[in-house]
Amino acid sequence: MRRWRWDDDDRVKEPIRWPITSEREIQDILYLILRSVFDDVNDEDPNPKVGHASTRSDFGIPSLRLLVEIKYIYAGPAAEFKKIEQEVMTDSVAYLQRATHYDEIVVFIDDSTASVEHHDLTRDALTKVPGIADVIVVSRPGVLAQGSSTPTAKKGERARREGCPGEEGGGSQEGRATGTVCSQDHRRPVY
């Protein structure tokens, strides 16, 4: 997503900007990506009713027997992450309780607050839940560089990076796998 459109007012007569402000927009982006690879992606796949509740996962991929649950962190770092953890834990029970077409869930969390200090704790808590295969947490860029359409991280965030060889606080393979921002990594979570 290095080519995410965010034009500079000085460089383009009519700048175009694609802000992401809700979970639905993340769902739209991921649907485009997933659908280009998997022909059988089901949008808002309904799950069997459990008790009085009826639930819908964001996406189902029957050929992989996999559900994809998407969450968006709007504000309030620690409390919002805790709320998301509880929602996913509750939903996972409903999604996988009965014999369905699915065995596992991948959780995708978009953090609009750029609170990277909470990512590992949330990821660790959710990957311990039975049925959750993986948790992917991405963060919005800290700032957009002047004169550039490519977002860059704030200086303070660089020290917290993981997985960036030769950079302060980095070097682990795990850091690259969790989607942290890295100037040397093509997997930067930029919009």
Side-chain angles (χ1 to χ4, degrees), residues 88-99:
V88 169
M89 288 176 188
T90 301
D91 289 347
S92 69
V93 172
Y95 293 164
L96 301 174
Q97 184 176 18
R98 295 186 183 199

Side-chain angles (χ1 to χ4, degrees), residues 82-138:
K82 183 177 179 179
K83 177 182 158 210
I84 294 294
E85 290 168 13
Q86 291 171 342
E87 287 176 7
V88 169
M89 288 176 188
T90 301
D91 289 347
S92 69
V93 172
Y95 293 164
L96 301 174
Q97 184 176 18
R98 295 186 183 199
T100 66
H101 301 289
Y102 305 103
D103 299 322
E104 295 181 307
I105 302 169
V106 169
V107 180
F108 184 93
I109 302 171
D110 186 287
D111 175 16
S112 72
T113 66
S115 301
V116 296
E117 66 275 14
H118 298 290
H119 293 184
D120 287 342
L121 182 60
T122 294
R123 185 178 191 288
D124 291 346
L126 291 176
T127 54
K128 291 178 183 170
V129 174
I132 295 183
D134 201 3
V135 177
I136 301 162
V137 184
V138 297

Side-chain angles (χ1 to χ4, degrees), residues 29-175:
I29 293 165
L30 287 179
Y31 180 80
L32 287 171
I33 293 168
L34 292 172
R35 185 63 176 91
S36 68
V37 178
F38 303 103
D39 290 337
D40 61 339
V41 174
N42 295 324
D43 187 21
E44 294 195 346
D45 200 17
N47 299 299
K49 193 172 182 177
V50 177
H52 292 90
S54 177
T55 60
R56 289 180 181 265
S57 59
D58 293 312
F59 301 113
I61 307 173
S63 60
L64 298 178
R65 299 191 55 81
L66 181 72
L67 292 171
V68 179
E69 183 65 14
I70 300 166
K71 296 295 183 184
Y72 184 78
I73 304 287
Y74 291 92
E80 186 76 5
F81 277 90
K82 183 177 179 179
K83 177 182 158 210
I84 294 294
E85 290 168 13
Q86 291 171 342
E87 287 176 7
V88 169
M89 288 176 188
T90 301
D91 289 347
S92 69
V93 172
Y95 293 164
L96 301 174
Q97 184 176 18
R98 295 186 183 199
T100 66
H101 301 289
Y102 305 103
D103 299 322
E104 295 181 307
I105 302 169
V106 169
V107 180
F108 184 93
I109 302 171
D110 186 287
D111 175 16
S112 72
T113 66
S115 301
V116 296
E117 66 275 14
H118 298 290
H119 293 184
D120 287 342
L121 182 60
T122 294
R123 185 178 191 288
D124 291 346
L126 291 176
T127 54
K128 291 178 183 170
V129 174
I132 295 183
D134 201 3
V135 177
I136 301 162
V137 184
V138 297
S139 187
R140 69 155 173 81
V143 296
L144 291 174
Q146 289 292 347
S148 169
S149 62
T150 304
T152 59
K154 293 179 186 175
K155 186 174 183 177
E157 289 181 19
R158 291 177 193 223
R160 290 192 299 261
R161 286 186 192 157
E162 293 181 48
C164 298
E167 293 188 36
E168 196 173 347
S172 73
Q173 183 68 23
E174 182 180 309

